[in-house]
Amino acid sequence: WTLLFYTVGASSRDFEPALDFLKQFPDASRDLLEAYGILVEAYCAAQVEAGAHAIQIFEAMGASLNAQLFEQWALPFLLDLGKNLKRKFPHLPLLVFARGVADSDAVNAQLAQVFDVISIDTAADPKAARSHIGSELCLQGNFDPTLLVSNDEDSLRSQVSDMLTAFNAPHSPLIANLGEGLAGKENPSLVSTFVDAVHDFSS
């Protein structure tokens, strides 16, 4: 979906071109999504054959669709992509990040039937995500990177501890990470403190 979203002229500030395209050209939209699925699958396969040890699929513009539209126009293609890659590479760890989706717990519960790691964004509740996904599957996320811009180290360490507790780590598998990308304004010292705190509380 994210590839189609940008192909038809939408942007992070203007969702309408993509939504209008879906409404006006549903058949062409499905054809494009199927074609992109084939291309992304081939690209991921080439990455694995070149030595990649894991693959993460980003659905970065999930927030542009409401729950019903995501269920119709994004989720089936994500699931098909994951299933096809698993058939080719059954032992390959597959990660997925459906960023900003409405009803993320329900979406991620379905993605968890195919993918090995579910990444969640800063808007998601880690405790609810763990409850919906179960205790065995690995989650990834979801620290707020704005806390790495201006903060004191003691507060930051406490916030990291709270995040890990909410994820039920280390009792349940977690890749401690951010819930959004870095914006370039983060304090390198606080980033280092974040990494050290994750190691300290996980040891």
Side-chain angles (χ1 to χ4, degrees):
W1 163 248
T2 296
L3 292 174
L4 185 150
F5 177 90
Y6 286 114
T7 296
V8 299
S11 72
S12 58
R13 294 182 179 140
D14 185 8
F15 296 169
E16 289 307 312
L19 299 176
D20 289 345
F21 190 88
L22 280 184
K23 184 177 180 179
Q24 295 178 36
F25 307 107
D27 292 339
S29 296
R30 188 167 303 280
D31 289 344
L32 275 171
L33 288 166
E34 289 175 353
Y36 279 138
I38 293 169
L39 287 171
V40 173
E41 180 186 335
Y43 178 80
C44 290
Q47 292 292 310
V48 176
E49 289 160 1
H53 293 169
I55 293 289
Q56 179 162 227
I57 305 298
F58 286 84
E59 191 64 278
M61 296 311 301
S64 62
L65 298 171
N66 63 32
Q68 181 180 355
L69 289 175
F70 191 89
E71 182 90 16
Q72 179 181 0
W73 292 106
L75 185 59
F77 300 95
L78 277 177
L79 292 171
D80 284 347
L81 176 59
K83 290 173 184 176
N84 291 340
L85 287 171
K86 275 296 184 184
R87 273 194 290 269
K88 289 183 177 179
F89 310 103
H91 303 298
L92 175 72
L94 281 181
L95 301 79
V96 65
F97 185 23
R99 176 177 171 269
V101 298
D103 198 7
S104 61
D105 290 331
V107 168
N108 286 332
Q110 293 189 67
L111 292 172
Q113 304 304 309
V114 176
F115 291 86
D116 303 293
V117 179
I118 305 297
S119 302
I120 65 172
D121 60 31
T122 54
D125 178 356
K127 190 174 290 188
R130 176 54 72 196
S131 176
H132 280 83
I133 296 300
S135 61
E136 301 300 321
L137 195 79
C138 187
L139 291 172
Q140 178 173 225
N142 77 325
F143 199 75
D144 185 349
T146 63
L147 298 174
L148 303 176
V149 177
S150 178
N151 205 344
D152 65 83
E153 291 193 1
D154 288 341
S155 295
L156 179 58
R157 289 180 63 85
S158 177
Q159 290 154 352
V160 171
S161 177
D162 290 345
M163 179 191 73
L164 296 177
T165 299
F167 276 116
N168 196 38
H171 307 293
S172 296
L174 170 70
I175 300 172
N177 205 337
L178 304 179
E180 296 286 344
L182 294 173
K185 298 180 179 179
E186 293 76 17
N187 183 331
S189 176
L190 292 176
V191 174
S192 179
T193 298
F194 167 75
V195 173
D196 290 342
V198 169
H199 291 164
D200 291 345
F201 293 131
S202 301
S203 60

